[in-house]
Amino acid sequence: MDVLVTGGAGYIGSHTVIELAAAGFTPVVIDNYSNSSPHAMERVRKILGSSVPSYGGDIPFYEGDVRDSALLDQIFEEHNIGAVIHFAGLKSVGESVSQPLSYYRTNIDSTLTLLDRMYAHRVLGLVFSSSATVYGVPEQLPLTESMPRRSTNPYGWTKVMIEQILEDLTNTQEGWNITSLRYFNPVGAHDSGLIGENPRGIPNNLLPYVSQVAVGKRDRVMVFGDDYPTADGTGVRDYIHITDLARAHVAALRHLDHPDVYKAYNIGTGRGVSVLEIIKAFSAAVGRDLPYEIVARRPGDVASCYASADLAREELGWSASLTVEDACRDSWAWQSNNPDGF
């Protein structure tokens, strides 16, 4: 089956393209490179070799914006698309606070355009890239899918709003088969060391920041607070290896057998890991202690956030199999071989 992957050249998208091909699907990718690189697709092709099930072992790729209806029509006409995995969108929490209109316009408009063209071509299977940000500030842990949706920033609200749109659509138009995957903290890289997270500017997330300290691009890791009510005083998050996350999309795609019922699943490990534990694990991967400095807490940070992933295990047959240590090892292989990214 051909699967349209929007944003397929990005960090999560590129790893998912690999897992789709390995599972016997043929990914068809659209990306405008606003937050990705053409080199990512070159590396993906190198990893896959000639193992893509059709199209002569290659990956069909379209450079363009998901808001381009004519381009989407072209893709649906040229390929036998059976389902869509929708990653495309802006994703920085901090940037969304300073540029809310851009986030609402890009993330929501792209989804509406995609849904409109999917319906026109009778492609009604969708796996949506959602986020744990839809839970807002945790009132109890672990977080479960039955908890209410809310957020604390425009990026998170776009995910909340899109999930509501998808649920409303499923309830009102027959035949839609839609699943949202709520990611926790994706980390790591492909074990080949050829692709990984490639942030522009100062990384927003912990592991790529630690990676850049390890490779010498930054002096030390800033640890924002060590007085939280956690085991070592530092913030605790649920870190999931990017390969496990990519495989969750394959599991969700295979489980698109619930027409007219909207589904959402947490995709995490179910275990919280502290900032200092991450630094320790990465230091072990590198073979030396990495410098860090304790500084003041950041406004808005919470002490702990981690998932219950029981529903994904029970209904999708998926669970995380890779560890934080695996993620640090693979991140270091990627970063040390590609100190400046792609």
Side-chain angles (χ1 to χ4, degrees), residues 187-189 241 244 281 285 321-332:
V187 291
H241 196 294
D244 275 334
S321 61
L322 298 168
T323 65
V324 162
E325 289 74 21
D326 294 326
C328 291
R329 177 201 65 215
D330 294 338
S331 287
W332 179 234

Side-chain angles (χ1 to χ4, degrees), residues 83-146:
V84 177
I85 301 179
H86 182 32
F87 294 110
L90 301 176
K91 63 175 186 176
S92 168
V93 169
E95 186 179 64
S96 78
V97 173
S98 62
Q99 302 177 37
L101 186 59
S102 177
Y103 270 68
Y104 288 120
R105 188 182 302 281
T106 300
N107 291 2
I108 295 176
D109 280 3
S110 62
T111 304
L112 291 173
T113 302
L114 176 65
L115 293 169
D116 179 70
R117 302 329 297 155
M118 287 177 66
Y119 192 73
H121 293 272
R122 303 304 296 171
V123 178
L124 304 181
L126 175 68
V127 177
F128 173 61
S129 167
S130 192
S131 167
T133 57
V134 302
Y135 295 114
V137 177
E139 293 185 354
Q140 64 184 65
L141 294 171
L143 293 166
T144 66
E145 293 85 350
S146 62

Side-chain angles (χ1 to χ4, degrees), residues 11 91-93 184-187 197 199 202-212 221 239 298:
Y11 174 47
K91 63 175 186 176
S92 168
V93 169
F184 278 67
N185 295 73
V187 291
E197 192 165 5
I202 299 174
N204 291 314
N205 300 321
L206 175 62
L207 209 68
Y209 199 103
V210 176
S211 298
Q212 291 191 4
V221 183
Y239 296 96
R298 290 182 301 192

Side-chain angles (χ1 to χ4, degrees), residues 174-218:
E174 290 187 2
W176 282 100
N177 220 321
I178 301 176
T179 292
S180 290
L181 300 184
R182 297 171 178 169
Y183 313 156
F184 278 67
N185 295 73
V187 291
H190 191 265
D191 60 10
S192 65
L194 289 173
I195 61 170
E197 192 165 5
N198 186 40
R200 296 177 178 177
I202 299 174
N204 291 314
N205 300 321
L206 175 62
L207 209 68
Y209 199 103
V210 176
S211 298
Q212 291 191 4
V213 171
V215 84
K217 295 186 72 174
R218 305 197 182 275

Side-chain angles (χ1 to χ4, degrees), residues 29-71:
V29 175
I30 178 174
D31 201 299
N32 64 3
Y33 295 135
S34 65
N35 193 35
S36 58
S37 167
H39 299 298
M41 293 308 301
E42 295 170 6
R43 302 285 185 88
V44 166
R45 290 184 174 100
K46 183 175 182 179
I47 291 167
L48 291 175
S50 59
S51 62
V52 181
S54 56
Y55 301 108
D58 198 6
I59 301 168
F61 180 85
Y62 295 80
E63 183 175 354
D65 196 298
V66 179
R67 291 171 291 182
D68 185 341
S69 296
L71 179 57

